[in-house]
Coordinates of all heavy atoms in Angstrom, one line a residue:
H69 N -1.2 0.1 10.5 CA -0.6 0.1 11.8 C 0.9 0.5 11.7 O 1.8 -0.3 11.4 CB -0.7 -1.4 12.4 CG -0.2 -1.5 13.8 ND1 -0.8 -2.4 14.6 CD2 0.7 -0.9 14.5 CE1 -0.2 -2.3 15.8 NE2 0.7 -1.4 15.8
V70 N 1.2 1.8 11.9 CA 2.6 2.2 12.0 C 2.8 3.2 13.1 O 1.8 3.8 13.7 CB 3.0 3.0 10.7 CG1 2.7 2.1 9.4 CG2 2.2 4.3 10.5
H71 N 4.0 3.3 13.6 CA 4.4 4.3 14.6 C 5.3 5.3 14.0 O 6.5 5.0 13.9 CB 5.0 3.5 15.8 CG 4.2 2.5 16.4 ND1 3.4 2.7 17.6 CD2 3.9 1.2 16.0 CE1 2.8 1.5 17.9 NE2 3.0 0.6 16.9
M101 N -0.1 5.3 15.1 CA -0.6 4.9 16.4 C -0.3 6.0 17.4 O 0.6 6.9 17.2 CB 0.2 3.6 16.9 CG -0.3 2.4 16.2 SD -2.0 2.1 16.6 CE -2.5 0.9 15.4
N103 N 0.8 6.0 20.7 CA 1.6 5.7 21.9 C 2.9 6.4 21.9 O 3.9 5.9 22.4 CB 1.8 4.2 22.1 CG 2.6 3.6 21.0 OD1 2.5 4.0 19.8 ND2 3.4 2.6 21.3
K151 N -7.7 3.5 19.5 CA -6.7 2.4 19.9 C -6.8 2.2 21.4 O -6.6 3.1 22.2 CB -5.3 2.8 19.4 CG -4.2 1.8 19.8 CD -4.2 0.5 18.9 CE -3.3 -0.5 19.4 NZ -1.9 -0.4 18.8
Y153 N -5.0 0.0 24.3 CA -3.9 -0.9 24.8 C -4.4 -1.6 26.1 O -4.6 -0.9 27.1 CB -2.6 -0.1 25.1 CG -2.0 0.4 23.8 CD1 -2.3 1.7 23.3 CD2 -1.1 -0.4 23.1 CE1 -1.7 2.1 22.1 CE2 -0.5 0.1 21.9 CZ -0.8 1.3 21.4 OH -0.2 1.8 20.3
T157 N 3.0 -2.0 26.7 CA 3.9 -1.9 25.5 C 4.7 -0.6 25.5 O 4.7 0.1 26.6 CB 3.0 -2.0 24.2 OG1 3.8 -2.0 23.1 CG2 2.0 -0.8 24.1
H184 N -4.8 -3.6 21.1 CA -3.6 -4.3 21.5 C -3.9 -5.1 22.7 O -4.1 -4.6 23.7 CB -2.5 -3.2 21.8 CG -1.2 -3.8 22.3 ND1 0.0 -3.8 21.6 CD2 -0.9 -4.4 23.5 CE1 0.9 -4.4 22.3 NE2 0.4 -4.8 23.4
H219 N -2.1 -7.1 15.2 CA -1.0 -8.1 15.2 C -1.3 -9.4 15.9 O -0.7 -9.7 16.9 CB 0.3 -7.4 15.8 CG 0.1 -6.6 17.0 ND1 -0.6 -6.9 18.1 CD2 0.6 -5.3 17.3 CE1 -0.6 -6.0 19.0 NE2 0.1 -5.0 18.5
L261 N 6.6 -6.8 20.4 CA 5.3 -7.2 21.0 C 4.2 -7.2 20.0 O 4.0 -6.2 19.3 CB 4.9 -6.2 22.2 CG 5.7 -6.4 23.4 CD1 5.6 -5.2 24.4 CD2 5.4 -7.7 24.1
D286 N 3.1 -2.9 11.5 CA 3.5 -2.5 12.9 C 4.9 -1.9 12.9 O 5.8 -2.2 13.7 CB 3.4 -3.7 13.9 CG 3.4 -3.2 15.3 OD1 3.5 -1.9 15.6 OD2 3.3 -4.0 16.2
H287 N 5.1 -1.0 11.9 CA 6.4 -0.3 11.7 C 6.7 0.4 13.1 O 6.0 1.4 13.4 CB 6.3 0.7 10.6 CG 7.5 1.6 10.4 ND1 8.7 1.1 9.8 CD2 7.7 2.9 10.6 CE1 9.5 2.1 9.7 NE2 9.0 3.2 10.2
A288 N 7.6 -0.1 13.8 CA 7.9 0.5 15.2 C 9.4 0.8 15.3 O 10.2 0.0 15.9 CB 7.4 -0.5 16.2
Ligands
ZN19 ZN1 2.1 -1.2 17.2

Side-chain angles (χ1 to χ4, degrees):
H69 191 148
V70 305
H71 300 261
M101 287 298 166
N103 63 326
K151 175 78 184 269
Y153 289 92
T157 184
H184 172 107
H219 43 49
L261 285 167
D286 199 356
H287 177 76

